[in-house]
Amino acid sequence: MANRKGVFIGAYVPNELKESLRRRAAGEHRTLSQEITRILVEAVHGKGLPAGSVDRRSTNNVPRRRSTDPPVRRRAEDLPYIPPVEKK
């Protein structure tokens, strides 16, 4: 018997769901168990970075531009957009 890390979670699911999960796992060269584990991790912890990526941000960094430098907004005194007149 294989030495497994973790706990077994049993669930009854419709056969078509199991088959679609199995096809998806096979398409990504994973086992069914690995695919279900990946889905559960994303559901609980959120979507991670793509494989091979390294997160270089520290946990206390402020996102660039969003809070410190808001984007340019139109002002009330700006002239409205007037489309160019077509030449005949």
Side-chain angles (χ1 to χ4, degrees):
M1 184 169 242
N3 185 10
R4 301 187 193 275
K5 296 180 182 176
V7 296
F8 176 79
I9 298 176
Y12 287 100
V13 295
N15 196 39
E16 59 271 8
L17 177 59
K18 179 186 174 193
E19 287 305 311
S20 88
L21 281 171
R22 187 193 58 73
R23 284 191 300 272
R24 185 168 153 183
E28 297 184 18
H29 306 289
R30 295 186 180 111
T31 64
L32 181 58
S33 181
Q34 289 170 332
E35 183 67 11
I36 292 170
T37 300
R38 185 193 63 77
I39 291 168
L40 288 172
V41 167
E42 280 185 9
V44 173
H45 299 296
K47 196 150 178 91
L49 294 171
S53 296
V54 177
D55 188 4
R56 292 185 171 88
R57 297 174 295 172
S58 66
T59 55
N60 56 1
N61 278 359
V62 176
R64 291 181 298 182
R65 270 194 77 79
R66 290 193 183 102
S67 59
T68 58
D69 184 17
V72 178
R73 301 183 194 278
R74 293 190 60 82
R75 296 174 296 271
E77 63 271 5
D78 284 349
L79 295 173
Y81 173 74
I82 300 173
V85 179
E86 293 182 19
K87 293 182 182 180
K88 294 182 181 179

